Amino acid sequence: DTAVSQTPKYLVTQMGNDKSIKCEQNLGHDTMYWYKQDSKKFLKIMFSYNNKELIINETVPNRFSPKSPDKAHLNLHINSLELGDSAVYFCASSQLAYEQFFGPGTRLTVL
Amino acid sequence: AQTVTQSQPEMSVQEAETVTLSCTYDTSESNYYLFWYKQPPSRQMILVIRQEAYKQQNATENRFSVNFQKAAKSFSLKISDSQLGDTAMYFCAFMKRVGGTSYGKLTFGQGTILTVHP
């Protein structure tokens, strides 16, 4: 059984488009995260939700909007995609802060 | 703000030998966690080992062990009896420990690519 799943795994789109990445966890965790891994493999946190409440919001362009319809789901919507948004986006979840379980990642390519 | 530095962009080792990956960090916090994550070519992020800063004993997980030097703010990973499946990118990460919360922000280093040769 997949613990943290993301859809899609790959996403190729044109500049200026709007796209969403979905994340679901079946671990019963209260907290979910979005991390971005750029082309140099550097990983950085973007957002975190705890029980559907936004608790971590790093310096991210406001074209990025997370939404948590329930505590098992955390989606990432990106408006007006730019070339620099090309990256791998990882979702993660945790019940204990120090045990974060990562999803398989979504590779976003903006052309 | 915390920073994590991995000064070795790439390392290589022969199968069955031992390799040590370096990590230093900077923080004014006294309670925190340190982690090593592995990212193989499949790109899945896998937790290798975790160290709690208040514990003096170095963490070990089978062939993986750490050398945690709190005063020096150093946290190296030793892989013994290296296997081909250890080939991956390894990330050192820091998390401030906040009591009573179930969430925490991981701050990652730049990563070290480890190649295990047969």
Side-chain angles (χ1 to χ4, degrees), chain A residues 8-10 30-31 33 35 37 40-45 48 50 55-56 58 88 90 94-107, chain B residues 4 33 35 37 39-47 50-52 89 91 94-98 101-111 113:
Chain A
K9 287 197 169 52
Y10 298 92
D30 287 337
T31 306
Y33 310 80
Y35 288 87
Q37 186 172 39
K40 295 190 168 123
K41 303 285 192 180
F42 186 66
L43 269 155
K44 190 168 164 43
I45 191 166
S48 178
N50 179 259
I55 49 169
I56 296 175
E58 293 293 291
V88 178
F90 285 97
S94 70
Q95 189 59 22
L96 300 170
Y98 55 78
E99 273 191 336
Q100 294 189 17
F101 294 81
F102 282 79
T106 295
R107 180 178 293 281
Chain B
V4 179
Y33 300 98
F35 307 83
Y37 278 88
Q39 187 178 39
S42 67
R43 83 168 179 240
Q44 179 70 50
M45 292 291 290
I46 302 164
L47 177 64
R50 178 182 69 238
Q51 175 79 41
E52 299 180 56
M89 190 146 189
F91 292 95
F94 172 100
M95 178 190 291
K96 183 171 79 170
R97 186 168 185 249
V98 181
T101 65
S102 63
Y103 56 87
K105 182 173 83 168
L106 283 166
T107 299
F108 289 92
Q110 307 94 317
I113 299 171

Side-chain angles (χ1 to χ4, degrees), chain A residues 2-7 9 22-26 32 91 103-104:
Chain A
T2 304
V4 182
S5 60
Q6 294 179 228
T7 51
K9 287 197 169 52
K22 297 188 177 187
C23 178
E24 176 180 2
Q25 54 96 2
N26 62 6
M32 297 184 74
C91 177

Side-chain angles (χ1 to χ4, degrees), chain A residues 60-110:
Chain A
V60 175
N62 56 17
R63 298 182 294 103
F64 289 79
S65 52
K67 284 194 172 44
S68 183
D70 55 61
K71 72 175 194 179
H73 295 85
L74 179 62
N75 303 324
L76 182 66
H77 188 75
I78 316 170
N79 287 327
S80 303
L81 277 155
E82 299 178 357
L83 293 176
D85 298 332
S86 294
V88 178
Y89 293 85
F90 285 97
C91 177
S93 74
S94 70
Q95 189 59 22
L96 300 170
Y98 55 78
E99 273 191 336
Q100 294 189 17
F101 294 81
F102 282 79
T106 295
R107 180 178 293 281
L108 171 65
T109 303
V110 182

Side-chain angles (χ1 to χ4, degrees), chain B residues 34-101:
Chain B
L34 293 163
F35 307 83
W36 280 98
Y37 278 88
K38 169 185 177 181
Q39 187 178 39
S42 67
R43 83 168 179 240
Q44 179 70 50
M45 292 291 290
I46 302 164
L47 177 64
V48 175
I49 200 164
R50 178 182 69 238
Q51 175 79 41
E52 299 180 56
Y54 69 88
K55 289 187 177 177
Q56 292 187 338
Q57 188 171 7
N58 288 324
T60 62
E61 286 287 342
N62 300 315
R63 298 182 295 107
F64 299 87
S65 61
V66 298
N67 183 1
F68 173 47
Q69 302 287 328
K70 191 172 184 179
K73 295 181 182 169
S74 166
F75 182 62
S76 60
L77 174 70
K78 185 170 88 171
I79 306 174
S80 304
D81 185 25
S82 296
Q83 300 175 359
L84 296 177
D86 296 333
T87 292
M89 190 146 189
Y90 287 81
F91 292 95
C92 179
F94 172 100
M95 178 190 291
K96 183 171 79 170
R97 186 168 185 249
V98 181
T101 65

